[in-house]
Amino acid sequence: MSEPKVFLATSEFLPNLDQDEQDLPDALRDRGIEPVIAVWNDPSVDWSAADLVVVRSVRDYARYPKEFNDWAKSIPRIANSAPTMEWNMDKHYMQDFEKLGLPIVPTTWLEPEDKLTKQQIHSRFPSHGDFVIKPAVSSGGRGTGRYTATDAKSRSDAILHAQYELEAGRSVMVQRYLEDIEISGETSLIYLNGLSAYSVQKEPMLHPRYRNPRDSGVMEEIARSAEASEESWRWGERIRLGLHQHIKNKTGRDELLLFNRVDIVRGAPDSPEEFYIMEISLIDGSLYLSANPEHLNRFADAIQMRAFL
């Protein structure tokens, strides 16, 4: 029996995968798998030769959403599935979680078709505290900025930021900055083939004057391997079940997700919620493989299980 070929899809900006995933090909070879690193929109790649395509360092998918979706739909065996990635690409998916009764970060949505004036944008910002502006479709934190509601200059910059995204036809998210992130950080729970695998703790990234323009590099994350509390895993399980329920409702069948990263933050003592969902990553979000050798081994094992099916 020949070795199964697993194509690791990446972008032209990361032709050898993201640094966090550099050891993944060797880990797959150790498991009897032939890894092939290929740029997703390279027309010379014969994707039909793959026994499985694993989407990883496709950091540019948000620049070419239609092309990326068309490409993903053309691949017979791709993880995660094309419909699931298409849904996860646009952060309006957070509204689906809200409908399921799951707590998301308080968000105001600004839509290009509403043709909002500068004053109308201004009126939708919080009246106190810090807040974050980001496009609904982005990867690696591009287009994200943190602003202060009570600072006139910061508020003016936020208006310009929102206008820039809206004029480009992109939906904009205005989210309250959860101060508890400064205290306890953000927890990422990683699920592989539907099972809880490991977790990391991430340090706060959005300092008060943080800006990451749309065309700048990927946001740098500082994460360390850390066992999440039983409470965090309980929250994560609620989210995981909600995610699978949504997929089943939408497609008529459940999906065994190869990878699923759930980002949560604990609610403040005076918050109405125990926790908030920050993000669900089913496309290119980091799995923090280099934070602990066991993370790499578990992901390689998960791919091995799917490649030999």
Side-chain angles (χ1 to χ4, degrees):
M1 181 178 176
S2 61
E3 293 182 341
K5 284 187 177 181
V6 170
F7 281 40
L8 302 171
T10 187
S11 60
E12 61 179 327
F13 307 106
L14 294 166
N16 297 308
L17 300 177
D18 182 86
Q19 185 175 355
D20 185 59
E21 298 160 347
Q22 297 279 301
D23 294 331
L24 182 56
D26 284 341
L28 294 178
R29 290 187 188 95
D30 291 343
R31 287 160 174 79
I33 294 169
E34 181 183 347
V36 178
I37 302 173
V39 175
W40 70 268
N41 53 358
D42 181 350
S44 68
V45 177
D46 179 13
W47 297 99
S48 66
D51 293 289
L52 176 68
V53 174
V54 175
V55 177
R56 282 290 69 223
S57 305
V58 290
R59 298 290 186 266
D60 57 350
Y61 75 80
R63 295 184 182 183
Y64 315 104
K66 183 183 183 304
E67 292 84 352
F68 181 80
N69 285 327
D70 289 345
W71 165 79
K73 290 172 183 175
S74 73
I75 309 297
R77 294 193 65 196
I78 188 168
N80 292 314
S81 76
T84 292
M85 288 194 292
E86 184 174 14
W87 169 77
N88 189 233
M89 183 181 295
D90 188 327
K91 291 182 177 61
H92 281 90
Y93 70 75
M94 298 290 275
Q95 295 177 338
D96 294 323
F97 282 114
E98 194 170 29
K99 290 173 185 175
L100 291 170
L102 292 166
I104 69 169
V105 177
T107 302
T108 298
W109 302 84
L110 310 181
E111 305 295 349
E113 58 268 24
D114 292 338
K115 307 294 183 184
L116 299 173
T117 66
K118 184 180 293 188
Q119 178 58 37
Q120 287 172 323
I121 293 173
H122 179 273
S123 68
R124 285 160 172 76
F125 291 165
S127 59
H128 60 87
D130 282 11
F131 61 97
V132 175
I133 286 181
K134 57 186 175 184
V137 179
S138 67
S139 174
R142 291 185 179 89
T144 299
R146 177 178 168 183
Y147 302 92
T148 301
T150 55
D151 181 279
K153 175 64 167 59
S154 183
R155 206 171 176 92
S156 177
D157 289 345
I159 292 171
L160 293 175
H161 182 171
Q163 282 186 311
Y164 171 79
E165 299 292 345
L166 290 168
E167 288 171 2
R170 294 185 283 267
S171 298
V172 171
M173 304 168 71
V174 181
Q175 295 184 316
R176 286 196 175 278
Y177 183 78
L178 300 180
E179 298 295 339
D180 198 63
I181 292 177
E182 302 289 345
I183 302 170
S184 57
E186 187 178 329
T187 300
S188 288
L189 307 172
I190 313 298
Y191 296 83
L192 300 174
N193 285 330
L195 301 176
S196 57
Y198 56 88
S199 61
V200 301
Q201 197 69 19
K202 296 189 288 188
E203 294 184 11
M205 294 177 290
L206 300 181
H207 60 74
R209 290 188 298 278
Y210 181 88
R211 306 287 183 275
N212 190 8
R214 187 169 182 81
D215 296 325
S216 73
V218 173
M219 183 187 297
E220 291 292 332
E221 292 185 318
I222 300 176
R224 57 181 174 82
S225 179
E227 182 52 49
S229 66
E230 183 178 336
E231 189 176 40
S232 294
W233 282 116
R234 174 169 56 83
W235 295 336
E237 186 62 11
R238 279 183 59 192
I239 299 166
R240 189 193 68 80
L241 290 173
L243 169 63
H244 284 269
Q245 185 60 53
H246 174 79
I247 292 173
K248 191 172 182 179
N249 290 344
K250 188 173 180 180
T251 66
R253 62 178 182 83
D254 200 355
E255 176 182 346
L256 183 63
L257 300 170
L258 173 62
F259 56 88
N260 170 19
R261 194 187 88 197
V262 175
D263 295 344
I264 59 173
V265 62
R266 180 182 294 274
D270 59 348
S271 169
E273 304 290 353
E274 291 182 286
F275 72 97
Y276 291 96
I277 302 172
M278 299 290 289
E279 187 174 358
I280 305 293
S281 297
L282 305 174
I283 307 175
D284 72 326
S286 175
L287 297 179
Y288 311 108
L289 302 183
S290 59
N292 185 318
E294 192 57 31
H295 298 180
L296 175 67
N297 287 328
R298 290 186 181 184
F299 188 44
D301 286 344
I303 294 174
Q304 179 187 32
M305 189 188 97
R306 300 289 284 271
F308 281 95
L309 284 178

